[in-house]
Amino acid sequence: MGEYKETEQLYREALEMKKALLGDVHPEIAIGINNVAFVLYTQGKYDAAEVLYLDALAMQRKLLGLDHPDIALALNNLAFLAHEKGDLITAVKMSQDSLDMYRRTLGAEHPLVAQGMNTLAMWLIEQGKLAPAEPLVRIPGIALAPARCAAGQRGVEDQSRRGARRRPVDHPVAFLRAAPHGRRRRAATGRRPERRGAASRRSPPPPPRRG
C-alpha cells in the first residue's frame, strides 16, 4: 500500500500546482481532482473518493455542459464506485446514463460505447436481468443461458464477459494521455485488486491521466 500513498501525495501536489497556475476552476483542475479520487478508490477509501468524483463532475458540468464524453466518463467512474460499495441499482443507472451519453457524443460505433455496453451487460446479468443484457453482449447464434446464472449470476462465463476481463483499458481517452491500465496489485496507476465472486470479473474504471 505504500506506493499508493506515495502516488496520492504526488497527485495532490500536482493538483495544488495546477490550482496555483490555473485557478480553482479549470478542466485540468477537474482532471487533477479525478486523479486523486482514483487513487483513493484504489485504496478502498470509497467515501473520500466519492466526494472528489462528485466535485470533479460538478466542475466538468459547469465548464463543459451537460453532454460531453468527459461527463460520461465521470458518470462511469461513479457507477463503478457505487458497484464497489454494493449499490448495484445505482451502478446500473449511472452506467446506463454514461453509455447513453457516450452514444450521443461519440456515435454508436465507438470503443467507449462498446466497453460501456459490456459493463452494463455484466451488471444487468448480476441483477438476473438477462433479457435486457442479451442485446448488449449478443454473439450471433449464441444466447445467454439462464442455467449459467445460478447463485446470483456469479457464475456467468459468457465469451463477452471473459473478453471484457482481458481488456487492458476500460476508458483510454477522456482522463488519459498515456497510462497503461493494469490491476491494483501492479503499479500505482493500476486497477483495484481481484475480489471474490463476480466482482473480480468486472472491468474496472480508468486510471488517472498523468500530467
Side-chain angles (χ1 to χ4, degrees), residues 115-134:
Q115 292 162 9
M117 290 169 66
N118 280 342
T119 297
L120 180 58
M122 285 188 280
W123 292 347
L124 288 170
I125 290 169
E126 285 188 43
Q127 288 184 319
K129 298 178 179 179
L130 298 186
E134 185 171 355

Side-chain angles (χ1 to χ4, degrees), residues 77-89:
N77 287 348
L78 285 164
F80 271 98
L81 184 60
H83 190 275
E84 197 70 19
K85 293 172 72 174
D87 187 353
L88 186 55
I89 293 175

Side-chain angles (χ1 to χ4, degrees), residues 41-44 46 80-87 123 126 154 161 165 183-185 191-202 204-205:
Y41 171 89
T42 62
Q43 296 177 79
Y46 300 135
F80 271 98
L81 184 60
H83 190 275
E84 197 70 19
K85 293 172 72 174
D87 187 353
W123 292 347
E126 285 188 43
R154 294 182 183 276
R161 189 159 184 174
R165 277 208 309 281
R183 293 197 176 275
R184 176 179 168 186
R185 61 188 180 190
R191 301 184 185 185
R192 65 172 176 265
E194 296 287 341
R195 301 185 66 196
R196 296 187 301 274
S200 64
R201 296 179 180 137
R202 299 191 303 274

Side-chain angles (χ1 to χ4, degrees), residues 16 20 29 33 49 54 60 67 94 107 112 115 117 119 130 142 149 159 162 184 186-187 193 195 198:
E16 291 306 312
I29 301 302
I33 294 172
L54 289 171
Q60 286 172 319
D67 221 33
M94 299 193 82
L112 295 179
Q115 292 162 9
M117 290 169 66
T119 297
L130 298 186
I142 300 177
C149 297
Q159 185 61 39
R162 291 201 298 273
R184 176 179 168 186
R186 291 193 204 159
R195 301 185 66 196

Side-chain angles (χ1 to χ4, degrees), residues 11 15 19 22 28 54 76 81 169 178:
Y11 277 132
L15 176 59
K19 286 182 176 180
L22 302 172
E28 288 292 329
L54 289 171
N76 186 72
L81 184 60
V169 177

Side-chain angles (χ1 to χ4, degrees), residues 49-99:
E50 183 175 17
V51 170
L52 292 183
Y53 274 142
L54 289 171
D55 286 347
L57 176 60
M59 187 179 298
Q60 286 172 319
R61 282 175 166 161
K62 179 178 180 179
L63 295 170
L64 304 174
L66 299 179
D67 221 33
H68 190 279
D70 286 10
I71 304 297
L73 177 58
L75 291 172
N76 186 72
N77 287 348
L78 285 164
F80 271 98
L81 184 60
H83 190 275
E84 197 70 19
K85 293 172 72 174
D87 187 353
L88 186 55
I89 293 175
T90 297
V92 167
K93 182 183 183 304
M94 299 193 82
S95 180
Q96 182 70 69
D97 290 346
S98 172
L99 175 58

